[in-house]
Amino acid sequence: MFRDAREADRILGLERTTQRAVAAGHLTEEGAGRWLDHLSTGAFLAAVTFCIVVAES
């Protein structure tokens, strides 16, 4: 769980992913800027579930 947007960005690549969305035409530069500004100034909480699979033959 992340409560700090900078830490979440470091691990999850929020800014990098946002810029990819702009490049793909899913977000405008303006919309991306507003989104990233909100993440860094507003209340923030992100939760992620990771799965690790180990197998033996």
Side-chain angles (χ1 to χ4, degrees):
M1 184 177 311
F2 299 95
R3 293 183 185 270
D4 180 272
R6 287 171 295 182
E7 184 67 16
D9 182 39
R10 191 174 72 77
I11 302 298
L12 303 175
L14 300 174
E15 186 170 351
R16 181 182 66 242
T17 302
T18 301
Q19 291 307 316
R20 286 181 179 166
V22 170
H26 300 296
L27 286 174
T28 64
E29 282 286 344
E30 181 184 343
R34 282 194 317 263
W35 166 250
L36 292 170
D37 286 345
H38 177 73
L39 291 180
S40 65
T41 60
F44 183 85
L45 175 67
V48 179
T49 302
F50 292 98
C51 296
I52 298 174
V53 177
V54 178
E56 291 185 27
S57 60

